[in-house]
Amino acid sequence: MTTSEAQLVATSRFQNFNAGTREVELRVDTPDGIITGRGYFDYVTGAGLARFTSSASGSTPTSGGVEPPSTLIWWTFDDMGELRGGVPAPELSDAIPRLDIDAGWVFSPREELVDSPLGALLTVTAGYSLDRPDNPKLIEQSDAIWLGTGADDARNTDINVQLPSADVARSEGSIPRENPTIPRVEIDAEGMVWRIEVGSGAHGTGIVTYGLSSAVTIPVPELSADTKKTGGIQE
């Protein structure tokens, strides 16, 4: 990665923080089916809320004209919760103003969920923000890869990058290799991120696609140790 390329990538997490709340669409493809979600991530409060639906492998979300199972998921980098008991789950416009952690929510810490395809995607989405640009020199010296630039009708340009696997310099003379398990991001010429892909096809691939900035604020309820119960998000 060149110096100018590393400098552009270094701004991408700060761009999310600077944008505040962004619309997000999430999709996880697993051997058991497809999970899709639509909602918001508030990079000021550090919390997201999305309404998810799931479908069995080989079916579509509206197969047979019946709405698939749905759930609300609230998450930060450290904690994730799922609203259970509502079929279907309430709409986001109804849920955001009254996020009541005592009304059927089950919470779990990140450590219990991050190894699942959906948990990994939620963690990456929550973590892709920083209140200042990254250190471009570390990115330039890392195993990050500039995967290429192509035309995009909506944004005039899209730049695809494989992120560093660790915040350390790679050994001298080593050549970075493409690795589908390391997150890849699509950014524009200003460093604004529009898409993140994580995982491999064998174990499940997760994609978050960003939309516009929003005035929505996602609340962060106070979670006690007793609130964080095992068995949060189900896949």
Side-chain angles (χ1 to χ4, degrees), residues 141-171:
Q141 295 172 345
S142 75
D143 58 357
I145 302 175
W146 187 272
L147 295 171
T149 303
D152 184 279
D153 292 338
R155 297 184 292 276
N156 298 321
T157 181
D158 65 81
I159 301 161
N160 296 286
V161 178
Q162 177 179 293
L163 296 179
S165 60
D167 192 21
V168 295
R170 58 187 170 88
S171 56

Side-chain angles (χ1 to χ4, degrees), residues 11-90:
T11 67
S12 60
R13 287 202 292 172
F14 175 71
Q15 290 282 31
N16 262 350
F17 176 83
N18 199 41
T21 299
R22 297 193 67 186
E23 299 172 356
V24 291
E25 291 186 14
L26 304 102
R27 176 186 173 111
V28 177
D29 289 270
T30 74
D32 298 322
I34 300 170
I35 303 168
T36 57
R38 181 187 294 267
Y40 304 92
F41 199 91
D42 184 341
Y43 286 103
V44 175
T45 66
L49 186 67
R51 188 175 189 268
F52 283 83
T53 58
S54 61
S55 61
S57 183
S59 66
T60 61
T62 56
S63 178
V66 178
E67 184 174 352
S70 60
T71 186
L72 285 183
I73 292 178
W74 172 96
W75 78 102
T76 65
F77 185 75
D78 295 311
D79 301 295
M80 303 172 194
E82 180 181 6
L83 179 61
R84 298 182 183 170
V87 183

Side-chain angles (χ1 to χ4, degrees), residues 101-116:
I101 64 172
D102 297 320
W105 287 88
V106 178
F107 293 89
S108 295
R110 166 173 44 91
E111 290 78 11
E112 295 181 6
L113 303 167
V114 70
D115 290 333
S116 71

